[in-house]
């Protein structure tokens, strides 16, 4: 289907997918005696929407945590922007331009939407506590600049009406959107979405899908997402990695995955003899 | 004032007014819009530049004189400019309802033969693209918000700002032609074409001339002493004639500032920030606001609730009199002043009404309680009666003569006449030119002397000269025993209860009246919450026995009040049911301005009507519904039917003879 050469490829809707942005090489992750991920390799290319799918317990979230640097694999290497990534703290990963959302929403419940989204700009704030307290000159200028970016994100995700609402008062679907807003505020080069549609109704899913596509289209952000809803995955993503019991059982375009026997077996079940 | 000293002869069109405003109030804000959390503003000078660039851009794209340019979207300054730019190049702007489905849009676009469309965003663009194959004359689409548009084929698609840039770049080439076309505009040239929402049948294109719009704007602005300092919030559909008169007509005539909300969801917050001095809203908006206030007060602490109730009772007693400048005792005044300090003032501020000097409501009857509530707070809320065909104004309430049961005296320049059948006729400088491509309707609506039939039945009160509207003329009927049947009269009484969102009363050519009720989900939902009534859906709540009980009480109270009116006492509701779904414009049951389409409801729910008259106590029904994206589905329910007590009436027939 695709000519996945080193120079990238062109999607069916005409987007140009570029060089490899991140590459996972032979990753193995163990928790004590349990192997969560076994020898998995794949790459994420500049500008593409890459999905990781698999049945429950397949190791998808572990994989995402490896990408985000939260888990350190016992074996294998993570290459990012052409360099091998050393072991890092999460905030250092964030500074590299990787932002994420969480499966079970991790927002500051007592703070307003605006403040939550502002926290996404933390890496761009250079003034110290003292300057912030005085708030004249540099700190004010910095806040104005960052607020501008945040307002663009708020406009983009159409959450103007809840700008000043405390997060705890929002319904689930909107909280998910606020999480996406916070991740976008960091202007990431790689955006990780952990089950962005989980627990949503059809309409909310449609909205979220539209936003994911628009983010990719408008800002050229590379997106890696985990998702259960097969319909959503097949519609959204350019390439899909399929995992089962910690192993990679398929990798390719949605069409290729749909016709992959191993994938069909994993999802529909097959008699083990 | 500056404008009244000028001869209107030189200002025969909206673009001419634009040039005057740019010269006279050049540095005064003309438009504001909240974008990225900040109010962005444009002065009249900047507005003129923006519109000029767009007009040049439109010429560059090939817009000819007499072309139709459709405008689709929420209230945004750029879309208002689109209308004026279209006028400037000699084209005719046609604003469309932004929430109409692609199908409805196709009819209007095809009917006027629009060659150009200016759309707000991807959502609107998608709708136009969906139906473009059926539109023969359609050529170019201009969009405002580029989000999500990158991948579209841009052969006939243009970004708004690019059109402006190209227009600006080609200014040397096109300016002389633009000036020439602008100079050709007169009082008689077409200013705008607005499609009526069509309570019956297909929408009709109402053609309004510059004379209609400017004369109306002028006399209504003088009536309420509007100044260039007014601030309004433009949030009602751009396709509605009222918005055109306020946000274009009056705004350009007096030079006041039009503020556009950030998004339709933020109107309440934007209203508070702007604090308009001149405000317009249909009764529904006031109702919703009042319901919200009451719901929040129900949840408030006991002291707060007591303060609120006590001072509101006082306000209801003396507030309207103070507003009308009638004599009120010093002690009452003092108490009102205290109340204003602690309750009314903060409440008005929360609602965004602190600065309202003149407020209008129209479109439907407003409940006396709702009306009095706002007036008692000191908000000068008045009613007007109008139509698209009249460029809005037919009657208005002058300051000091405001009542909830009349719609006021004839607006300046308007003549009124009541026909033999009780129908109201009017004649004014605002009377429309004609219905586009519909000579027949034009003839049947407007006679040779310029009198227009409103389609409403009403009468003029002999002692005050105020007009009172009873109902739509064609809805007013007779019952079997000969007594008058005026459904709207009863429905309005029902709708004045916060728990009832909509009511439809049947009874024409029948012996008794029956009713469909729609509950108001926010009010009834809140009531259910406070009374520990669990429900999982609208349908379940609507069918709850306790809800039925509550609605039954309302119906019986209405019956008692209807019985008081000799002429209409036959219209008491004998039996009713609560509908399992909200009447919706998407399902064709209502117009886009949320008026019930009686015929369609009658056809669609024929089984339920039959059950009401057949004496059944419940009825199973299946209803087709249309989702927002146009897909269809079905919902089914078994509805309970209840009897309501009626007050026996003996003098029923006297008035009907």
């Amino acid at each position: 289907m695709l000519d996945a050469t080193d120079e990238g490829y062109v999607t069916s809707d005409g987007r140009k997918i570029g060089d490899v942005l991140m590459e996972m090489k032979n990753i193995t992750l163990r928790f004590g005696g349990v192997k969560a991920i076994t020898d998995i390799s794949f790459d994420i290319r500049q500008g593409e929407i890459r999905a990781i799918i698999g049945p429950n317990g397949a190791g998808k979230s572990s994989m995402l945590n490896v990408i985000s640097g939260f888990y350190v694999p016992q074996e294998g290497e993570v290459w990012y922007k052409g360099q091998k990534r050393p072991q890092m703290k999460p905030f250092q990963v964030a500074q590299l331009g990787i932002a994420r959302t969480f499966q079970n929403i991790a927002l500051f419940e007592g703070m307003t939407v605006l403040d939550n989204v502002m926290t996404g700009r933390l890496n761009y704030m250079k003034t110290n506590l003292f300057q912030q307290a005085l708030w004249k000159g540099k700190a004010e200028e910095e806040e104005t600049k960052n607020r501008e970016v945040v307002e663009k994100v708020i406009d983009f995700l159409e959450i103007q009406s809840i700008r000043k609402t405390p997060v705890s008062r929002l319904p689930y679907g909107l909280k998910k959107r606020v999480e996406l807003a916070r991740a976008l505020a960091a202007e990431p080069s790689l955006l990780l979405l952990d089950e962005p549609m989980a627990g949503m109704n059809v309409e909310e899913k449609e909205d979220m899908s539209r936003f994911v596509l628009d983010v990719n289209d408008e800002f050229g952000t590379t997106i890696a997402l985990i998702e259960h809803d097969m319909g959503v995955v097949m519609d959204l993503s350019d390439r899909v990695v399929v995992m089962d019991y910690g192993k990679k059982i398929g990798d390719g375009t949605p069409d290729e995955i749909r016709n992959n026997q191993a994938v069909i077996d994993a999802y529909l079940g097959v008699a083990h003899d | 004032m500056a404008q009244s000293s000028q001869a209107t002869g030189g200002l025969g069109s909206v673009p001419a007014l634009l040039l005057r405003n740019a010269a006279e109030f050049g540095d005064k804000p003309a438009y504001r819009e909240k974008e990225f959390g900040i109010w962005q503003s444009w002065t009249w000078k900047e507005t003129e530049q923006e519109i000029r660039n767009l007009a040049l851009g439109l010429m560059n794209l090939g817009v000819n004189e007499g072309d139709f340019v459709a405008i689709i979207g929420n209230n945004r300054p750029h879309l208002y400019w689109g209308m004026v730019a279209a006028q400037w190049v000699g084209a005719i702007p046609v604003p469309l309802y932004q929430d109409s489905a692609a199908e409805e849009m196709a009819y209007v676009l095809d009917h006027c033969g629009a060659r150009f469309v200016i759309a707000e965003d991807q959502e609107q663009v998608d709708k136009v693209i969906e139906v473009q194959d059926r539109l023969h004359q359609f050529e170019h689409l201009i969009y405002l918000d580029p989000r999500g548009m990158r991948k579209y084929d841009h052969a006939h698609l243009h970004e708004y700002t690019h059109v402006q840039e190209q227009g600006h770049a080609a200014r040397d080439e096109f300016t002389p032609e633009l000036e020439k076309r602008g100079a050709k505009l007169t009082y008689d040239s077409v200013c705008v074409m607005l499609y009526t929402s069509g309570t019956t049948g297909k929408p009709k294109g109402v053609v309004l001339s510059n004379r209609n719009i400017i004369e109306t704007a002028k006399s209504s602005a003088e009536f309420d002493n509007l100044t260039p300092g007014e601030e309004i919030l433009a949030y009602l559909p751009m396709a509605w004639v009222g918005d055109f008169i306020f946000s274009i007509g009056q705004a350009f005539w007096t030079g006041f500032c039009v503020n556009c909300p950030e998004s339709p969801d933020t109107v309440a917050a934007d209203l508070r920030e702007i604090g308009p001095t001149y405000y317009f809203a249909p009764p529904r908006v006031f109702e919703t606001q009042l319901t919200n206030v009451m719901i929040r007060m129900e949840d408030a602490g006991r002291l707060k609730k007591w303060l609120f109730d006590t001072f509101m009772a006082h306000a209801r007693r003396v507030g309207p009199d103070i507003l009308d400048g009638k004599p009120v005792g010093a002690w009452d005044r003092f108490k009102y002043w205290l109340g204003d300090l602690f309750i009314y003032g903060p409440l008005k501020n929360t609602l965004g009404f602190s600065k309202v000097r003149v407020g209008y409501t129209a479109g439907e009857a407003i409940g006396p309680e709702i009306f009095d509530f706002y007036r008692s707070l000191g908000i000068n809320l008045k009613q007007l009666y109008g139509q698209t065909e009249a460029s809005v104004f037919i009657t208005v309430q002058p300051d000091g003569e405001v009542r909830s049961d009349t719609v006021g005296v004839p607006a300046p320049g308007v003549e009124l006449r009541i026909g033999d059948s009780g129908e109201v006729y009017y004649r004014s400088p605002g009377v429309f030119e004609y219905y586009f491509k519909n000579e027949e309707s034009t003839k049947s609506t407007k006679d040779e002397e310029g009198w227009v039939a409103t389609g409403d039945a009403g009468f003029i009160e002999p002692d005050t000269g105020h007009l009172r509207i009873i109902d739509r003329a064609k809805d007013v009927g007779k019952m079997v025993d000969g007594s008058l049947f005026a459904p709207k009269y009863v429905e309005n009484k029902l709708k004045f209860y916060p728990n009832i969102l909509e009511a439809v009363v049947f009874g024409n050519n029948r012996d008794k009246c029956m009713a469909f009720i729609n509950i108001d989900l926010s009010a009834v939902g809140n009531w259910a919450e406070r009374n520990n009534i669990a429900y999982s859906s609208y349908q379940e709540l609507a069918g709850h026995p306790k809800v039925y009980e509550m609605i039954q009480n309302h119906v019986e109270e209405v019956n008692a009040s209807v019985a008081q009116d000799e002429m209409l006492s036959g219209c008491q509701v004998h039996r009713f049911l609560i509908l399992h779904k909200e009447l919706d414009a998407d399902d064709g049951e209502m117009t886009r301005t949320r008026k019930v389409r009686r015929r369609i409801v009658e056809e669609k729910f024929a089984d339920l009507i039959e059950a009401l008259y057949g004496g059944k106590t419940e009825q199973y029904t299946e209803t087709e519904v249309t989702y927002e994206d146009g897909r269809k589905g079905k919902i089914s329910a078994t509805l309970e039917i209840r009897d309501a007590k009626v007050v026996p009436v003996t003098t029923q027939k006297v008035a009907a003879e």
Side-chain angles (χ1 to χ4, degrees):
Chain A
M1 284 292 296
L2 300 174
D3 303 320
T5 58
D6 287 344
E7 286 78 44
Y9 61 97
V10 176
T11 62
S12 54
D13 56 4
R15 283 177 305 127
K16 281 192 195 69
I17 302 300
D19 293 341
V20 172
L21 178 68
M22 180 173 261
E23 192 168 14
M24 320 300 290
K25 288 184 178 166
N26 307 96
I27 302 285
T28 298
L29 178 72
R30 276 188 295 267
F31 296 109
V34 181
K35 258 191 184 174
I37 301 173
T38 313
D39 191 28
I40 288 190
S41 306
F42 67 92
D43 61 357
I44 301 169
R45 287 173 176 275
Q46 189 80 48
E48 78 178 340
I49 301 181
R50 187 78 149 119
I52 305 173
I53 64 170
N56 279 331
K60 305 184 298 288
S61 284
S62 300
M63 194 69 233
L64 205 70
N65 279 323
V66 170
I67 299 176
S68 73
F70 190 65
Y71 290 161
V72 183
Q74 280 78 9
E75 290 165 34
E77 294 171 352
V78 178
W79 284 65
Y80 182 63
K81 292 186 176 167
Q83 283 178 331
K84 188 181 163 190
R85 196 175 75 183
Q87 191 176 329
M88 278 181 165
K89 297 251 164 53
F91 76 90
Q92 291 169 316
V93 175
Q95 281 168 354
L96 283 181
I98 299 179
R100 69 169 296 180
T101 67
F102 296 84
Q103 190 176 346
N104 10 343
I105 299 163
L107 291 164
F108 301 101
E109 292 274 324
M111 291 177 8
T112 62
V113 168
L114 180 63
D115 290 341
N116 265 287
V117 181
M118 277 301 264
T119 60
R121 299 294 299 169
L122 207 60
N123 279 328
Y124 298 86
M125 308 264 192
K126 299 281 177 278
T127 48
N128 58 36
L129 186 70
F130 184 69
Q131 286 168 305
Q132 298 257 350
L134 281 176
W135 205 67
K136 274 281 153 243
K138 221 158 175 208
E140 188 183 358
E141 198 180 289
E142 190 180 69
E143 170 139 347
T144 311
K145 229 170 56 204
N146 285 307
R147 173 76 186 267
E148 258 174 46
V149 179
V150 166
E151 283 295 341
K152 291 225 163 91
V153 172
I154 287 177
D155 182 71
F156 188 82
L157 293 178
E158 295 168 7
I159 48 176
Q160 301 100 326
S161 60
I162 52 166
R163 190 186 280 128
K164 299 271 169 71
T165 314
V167 166
S168 57
R169 278 210 265 152
L170 297 178
Y172 180 80
L174 276 180
K175 282 187 188 174
K176 281 263 178 195
R177 213 187 285 181
V178 175
E179 259 214 324
L180 178 60
R182 180 179 59 187
L184 280 183
E187 297 180 278
S189 43
L190 175 60
L191 177 63
L192 308 176
L193 305 175
D194 196 350
E195 304 219 11
M197 326 277 173
M200 287 190 171
N201 63 31
V202 176
E203 205 181 320
E204 287 169 334
K205 275 183 192 171
E206 278 175 3
D207 281 350
M208 193 51 124
S209 305
R210 165 74 40 211
F211 286 128
V212 170
L213 285 173
D214 282 351
V215 167
N216 177 260
D217 190 46
E218 201 75 6
F219 309 122
T221 312
T222 311
I223 298 172
L225 64 98
I226 294 180
E227 187 47 58
H228 263 302
D229 188 313
M230 290 303 277
V232 169
V233 169
M234 296 302 180
D235 282 351
L236 282 185
S237 43
D238 301 314
R239 287 193 300 155
V240 183
V241 176
V242 191
M243 291 175 71
D244 192 19
Y245 293 113
K247 295 189 182 117
K248 184 167 102 169
I249 59 169
D251 190 353
T253 65
D255 277 335
E256 287 165 356
I257 293 300
R258 231 178 249 128
N259 301 320
N260 182 325
Q261 193 56 44
V263 176
I264 296 170
D265 291 348
Y267 268 89
L268 299 180
V270 67
H272 292 280
D273 20 48
Chain B
M1 268 181 297
Q3 65 270 16
S4 44
S5 64
Q6 297 207 2
T8 47
L11 299 165
S13 69
V14 177
L17 288 173
L18 171 70
L19 295 176
R20 180 206 65 179
N21 291 347
E24 252 180 61
F25 322 111
D27 297 322
K28 206 190 116 343
Y31 283 92
R32 277 194 212 104
E33 181 187 32
K34 199 171 180 187
E35 177 86 337
F36 305 127
I38 295 176
W39 286 96
Q40 324 273 348
S41 73
W42 292 267
T43 64
W44 277 108
K45 231 182 240 158
E46 287 161 341
T47 303
E48 192 232 297
Q49 195 55 49
E50 293 273 358
I51 295 176
R52 182 184 290 275
N53 287 344
L54 183 65
L56 292 168
L58 288 178
M59 289 176 68
N60 188 30
L61 276 179
V63 177
N64 294 324
E65 285 168 287
D67 278 348
F68 287 92
V69 179
I71 317 275
I72 316 168
N74 289 308
N75 313 67
R76 312 262 317 250
H78 299 83
L79 296 183
Y80 287 114
W81 302 340
M83 292 210 262
V84 182
Q87 291 169 343
W88 204 343
V89 298
I92 297 155
V94 186
L96 266 58
Y97 283 96
Q98 76 278 14
D99 57 350
S100 44
E103 249 349 275
E104 296 166 298
M105 231 170 235
Y107 174 80
V108 172
L109 289 176
D110 182 49
H111 186 256
C112 68
R115 279 180 66 209
F116 298 83
V117 175
I118 303 180
E120 186 191 4
D121 54 12
Q122 190 184 15
E123 183 190 342
Q124 307 297 353
V125 169
D126 282 348
K127 282 196 262 186
V128 178
I129 289 179
E130 191 184 325
V131 298
Q132 66 175 349
D133 294 339
R134 278 181 278 161
L135 310 171
H136 309 298
Q137 282 118 322
F138 174 72
E139 280 174 35
H140 292 280
L141 187 55
I142 300 166
Y143 61 87
L144 187 54
D145 188 351
R147 192 176 120 197
M149 301 293 305
R150 199 183 303 268
K151 279 180 273 176
Y152 284 62
D153 173 14
H154 272 67
H156 298 283
L157 212 53
H158 313 270
E159 194 178 333
Y160 190 97
T161 49
H162 293 174
V163 174
Q164 283 185 315
E165 277 160 26
Q166 282 158 5
H168 188 68
R171 62 189 179 279
D172 294 340
E173 185 185 345
F174 289 116
T175 301
E177 171 73 7
L178 181 68
E179 310 265 286
K180 214 166 80 195
R181 288 198 198 176
K184 265 199 255 172
L185 297 173
T186 66
Y187 241 31
D188 291 311
S189 31
V190 176
C191 181
V192 67
M193 182 156 89
L194 299 162
Y195 277 83
T196 57
S197 48
T199 323
T200 47
K202 287 279 181 199
K204 287 181 281 198
V206 180
V207 176
L208 296 172
S209 64
N210 282 317
R211 171 178 291 111
N212 296 150
I213 296 298
I214 295 176
E215 285 286 329
T216 306
K218 172 172 177 265
S219 56
S220 57
E222 280 165 9
F223 184 80
D224 280 313
N225 299 319
L226 300 180
T227 68
E230 308 296 340
E231 298 279 344
I232 66 164
L233 187 74
Y235 67 101
L236 292 161
M238 287 179 68
W240 177 62
V241 65
D243 187 64
F244 192 83
I245 285 287
F246 300 128
S247 306
I248 299 265
Q250 292 180 340
F252 277 71
W253 175 258
T254 56
F256 62 62
C257 181
V258 176
N259 299 281
C260 296
E262 188 167 23
S263 84
D265 305 326
T266 59
V267 169
D270 296 335
L271 189 66
R272 205 154 51 228
E273 287 175 6
I274 286 299
T277 57
Y278 179 48
Y279 180 67
F280 190 95
R284 188 175 290 267
V285 171
F286 290 108
E287 269 171 53
T288 318
Q289 255 177 353
L290 177 59
T291 309
N292 285 341
V293 169
M294 288 309 178
I295 288 172
R296 283 171 67 180
M297 283 320 297
E298 292 290 343
D299 295 337
R302 215 177 275 173
L303 176 70
K304 279 189 195 158
K305 179 104 171 57
W306 177 83
L307 268 175
F308 179 77
D309 289 343
T310 313
F311 277 108
M312 281 318 296
H314 182 69
R316 258 187 281 272
R317 203 161 55 79
V318 301
D321 286 348
I322 291 177
L323 190 61
D324 287 344
K326 290 181 190 158
V328 173
W331 175 241
D332 279 342
R333 268 185 196 279
F334 175 71
K335 263 173 80 181
Y336 190 84
W337 176 81
L338 261 185
D340 197 41
L341 199 60
F342 292 112
I343 307 285
Y344 321 142
L347 179 58
K348 276 193 284 188
N349 192 25
T350 307
L351 296 173
F353 292 158
S354 292
K355 294 194 203 148
V356 171
R357 210 163 53 74
V358 187
Y360 274 113
T361 181
E364 294 261 347
I366 186 166
E369 297 82 13
I370 298 161
F371 197 62
D372 291 344
F373 173 82
Y374 289 98
R375 286 193 62 81
S376 63
L377 287 177
I379 297 161
N380 187 17
L381 181 61
K382 309 196 281 185
Q383 293 196 75
L384 68 80
Y385 171 65
Q387 271 191 333
T388 306
E389 286 83 348
S391 313
V392 182
F393 296 91
I394 299 176
T395 65
V396 282
Q397 295 181 322
D399 289 336
E401 291 180 43
V402 180
R403 285 162 48 193
S404 63
D405 57 348
T406 78
V407 290
V409 299
V414 179
E415 299 167 77
L416 271 191
R417 177 164 71 88
I418 306 292
D420 299 334
S421 59
E423 190 169 352
V424 180
Y425 291 82
Y426 64 91
R427 187 160 69 172
S428 76
V431 165
F432 73 114
E433 298 292 320
Y434 51 88
Y435 290 124
F436 186 64
K437 288 199 219 161
N438 195 342
E439 217 168 294
E440 200 182 313
S441 285
T442 310
K443 266 190 191 147
S444 67
T445 312
K446 180 175 153 181
D447 71 13
E448 272 155 29
E449 289 168 13
W451 288 96
V452 180
T454 58
D456 288 323
F459 62 92
I460 296 173
E461 283 190 347
D463 19 329
T464 57
H466 278 237
L467 178 68
R468 265 181 81 169
I469 299 294
I470 306 173
D471 204 337
R472 297 285 302 167
K474 65 174 170 28
D475 289 336
V476 174
K478 287 265 156 71
M479 303 193 50
V480 172
D481 61 4
S483 59
L484 196 65
F485 170 68
K488 193 77 152 274
Y489 178 77
V490 185
E491 285 161 12
N492 283 336
K493 278 188 184 287
L494 283 167
K495 277 160 61 180
F496 294 156
Y497 290 95
N499 293 323
I500 297 178
L501 181 72
E502 206 58 66
V504 190
V505 173
F506 308 96
N508 199 16
N509 297 326
R510 308 257 197 180
D511 57 338
K512 284 175 191 156
C513 283
M514 305 285 171
F516 286 175
I517 309 279
N518 252 184
I519 55 167
D520 186 315
L521 188 59
S522 62
V524 179
N526 189 272
W527 168 85
E529 201 175 292
R530 276 184 287 116
N531 289 282
N532 285 325
I533 290 169
Y535 64 97
S536 56
S537 64
Y538 178 88
Q539 192 176 331
E540 193 180 329
L541 184 65
H544 198 282
K546 289 222 165 135
V547 174
Y548 257 91
E549 218 167 274
M550 180 169 73
I551 298 295
Q552 183 165 5
N553 285 334
H554 293 338
V555 172
E556 285 168 1
E557 278 167 37
V558 166
N559 281 346
S561 128
V562 170
Q564 306 277 316
D565 198 315
E566 279 179 19
M567 266 166 86
L568 299 163
S569 57
C571 301
Q572 294 183 57
V573 175
H574 286 70
R575 310 185 75 217
F576 73 96
L577 60 78
I578 300 177
L579 283 178
H580 52 303
K581 72 175 279 284
E582 231 172 77
L583 296 178
D584 197 340
D586 286 340
D587 293 331
E589 294 148 351
M590 291 191 137
T591 64
R592 290 281 159 205
T593 47
R594 299 200 61 89
K595 289 182 190 150
V596 173
R597 286 188 163 126
R598 217 166 276 281
R599 300 281 137 74
I600 294 178
V601 171
E602 249 168 64
E603 271 167 38
K604 204 163 170 182
F605 299 102
D607 53 340
L608 294 176
I609 297 175
E610 202 174 300
L612 277 168
Y613 281 101
K616 287 194 195 167
T617 54
E618 57 173 41
Q619 172 68 32
Y620 173 80
T621 186
E622 268 183 10
T623 316
E624 191 180 73
V625 289
T626 314
Y627 299 110
E628 256 177 33
D629 58 0
R631 281 179 303 173
K632 288 186 195 289
K634 256 192 179 157
I635 53 171
S636 61
T638 303
L639 302 183
E640 190 189 337
I641 297 173
R642 286 215 183 175
D643 294 328
K645 261 193 271 143
V646 293
V647 181
V649 180
T650 44
T651 55
Q652 216 163 29
K653 279 188 206 158
V654 180
E657 297 305 323

